[in-house]
Amino acid sequence: MCLWIKMYKYNYEISMKRVCVFLGVLALLLAFSSCASRKKFVYLNNMMQDTGYPIGLRHEAVIHCDDRLDITVSCKNPELAIPFNIQGEISLNPDGGVSGAVASAKGYRVDVDGYIDFPVLGKLYVEGKTVHDVKNMITKQIVEGNYIKAPIVSIEFLNFKYTILGAVGSTGTYTVEGNHITLLDAIAKAGDLAPKARVDRVSVIREENGERKMYVHDLRDMEIFQSPAYYLQQNDIVYVEPKYKKQDTEDRGWKYLTLLLSVITASCSIVLAIK
């Protein structure tokens, strides 16, 4: 009888240990799978391998109010370009040279009426124009004024920025180096889409002609390349819609199940240790 009881007790302890090991492994697997990304989407999944797709017109950012532009004028004779690279009052030195405040890193701010105050040329209307348009306008006015025969004008944005919100890795406002960035680049810079993101509801909110307009994209569709909002503009807002309640409930379910299994495993271990 005692031998039978001992055998029963031994088998029971072995069974309990196996159950604890099984529950422990299951809890670890659930924990890892809950932490892992459960993305169920693929970008641009309707593009075919080794198939060429035509590229649309090259993009240029449009200038808006409150933009700051770095504008530099140069030519073969550097002294002729000096007055166009100085802000504020210009004065002549005793030796015949020109002096004044060199254009600062703040650049030329586009005022609320869409103008910049440019040296020598005065007020220039730039709002709604592309960088290429403004280059041509400044070049034309310098040549027609007989200031420089062949000026070289370079323009860059100093405060090109956009904001990204919603289901992405890192929300916030980002500054662009250069004059353009694509929607896909912006998402990548923000740490990619979160597992809870709706890949078919990626919106770009943009100010156009005194109104705000929203462009909605499906990142699984290659038609995104034809969107007028594929290239972001200054002060665009990118919003990635999350899956809200359904996905949140799923996340909580995984957490509660993993916690329950961990508690059961710990309880089994304590019981076995006491025995």
Side-chain angles (χ1 to χ4, degrees):
M1 185 69 177
C2 292
L3 179 61
W4 182 84
I5 293 174
K6 288 181 179 179
M7 289 294 296
Y8 174 80
K9 184 177 181 181
Y10 174 77
N11 290 333
Y12 173 78
E13 290 179 353
I14 292 297
S15 299
M16 287 298 294
K17 287 181 179 179
R18 289 176 178 175
V19 170
C20 288
V21 170
F22 173 75
L23 291 175
V25 172
L26 182 59
L28 286 174
L29 290 175
L30 287 174
F32 280 118
S33 62
S34 64
C35 293
S37 172
R38 294 192 295 278
K39 293 182 179 178
K40 298 179 181 179
F41 51 80
V42 178
Y43 296 139
L44 309 173
N45 60 10
N46 60 352
M47 290 190 73
M48 303 298 294
Q49 185 176 357
D50 298 326
T51 300
Y53 298 94
I55 298 176
L57 296 176
R58 295 184 63 183
H59 164 80
E60 275 201 280
V62 177
I63 298 170
H64 301 285
C65 292
D66 290 327
D67 284 352
R68 290 192 179 275
L69 306 175
D70 177 24
I71 305 176
T72 304
V73 178
S74 60
C75 62
K76 291 183 178 180
N77 188 346
E79 292 184 357
L80 295 177
I82 291 176
F84 298 96
N85 297 312
I86 291 179
Q87 292 182 350
E89 295 183 357
I90 301 174
S91 60
L92 294 175
N93 297 328
D95 58 0
V98 180
S99 65
V102 177
S104 66
K106 293 183 179 180
Y108 298 92
R109 176 181 171 274
V110 183
D111 64 25
V112 293
D113 297 318
Y115 289 88
I116 60 171
D117 193 1
F118 195 71
V120 182
L121 303 181
K123 292 275 189 178
L124 300 177
Y125 186 77
V126 298
E127 184 180 10
K129 299 181 184 296
T130 66
V131 169
H132 181 72
D133 293 336
V134 177
K135 280 183 180 180
N136 288 341
M137 179 178 62
I138 293 176
T139 301
K140 181 180 179 181
Q141 292 194 24
I142 291 175
V143 172
E144 289 180 348
N146 292 320
Y147 300 112
I148 305 174
K149 290 184 178 180
I152 300 172
V153 180
S154 62
I155 303 177
E156 290 187 0
F157 285 93
L158 292 177
N159 65 335
F160 193 122
K161 63 183 185 298
Y162 64 92
T163 300
I164 186 163
L165 303 170
V168 293
S170 180
T171 61
T173 299
Y174 294 84
T175 301
V176 179
E177 293 183 3
N179 295 337
H180 71 271
I181 185 171
T182 69
L183 177 57
L184 295 179
D185 290 336
I187 291 173
K189 196 171 182 179
D192 203 358
L193 298 184
K196 294 190 295 184
R198 285 194 59 178
V199 70
D200 61 332
R201 295 287 298 177
V202 178
S203 304
V204 175
I205 302 170
R206 172 174 298 170
E207 294 183 7
E208 292 182 337
N209 302 319
E211 298 178 336
R212 287 187 177 88
K213 188 172 181 180
M214 182 170 72
Y215 299 89
V216 182
H217 307 85
D218 185 346
L219 299 190
R220 299 167 301 182
D221 192 343
M222 66 178 183
E223 290 299 317
I224 185 177
F225 295 124
Q226 307 304 320
S227 168
Y230 176 65
Y231 285 96
L232 299 185
Q233 295 283 356
Q234 165 78 299
N235 295 321
D236 277 355
I237 299 173
V238 179
Y239 177 66
V240 181
E241 187 175 318
K243 295 179 181 176
Y244 294 113
K245 186 176 180 179
K246 181 178 179 181
Q247 186 68 29
D248 291 341
T249 302
E250 180 183 340
D251 287 345
R252 288 197 297 270
W254 279 91
K255 291 178 182 178
Y256 292 155
L257 180 58
T258 303
L259 178 61
L260 178 61
L261 288 174
S262 299
V263 171
I264 293 174
T265 304
S267 301
C268 291
S269 300
I270 293 173
V271 170
L272 289 175
I274 293 175
K275 288 186 177 183

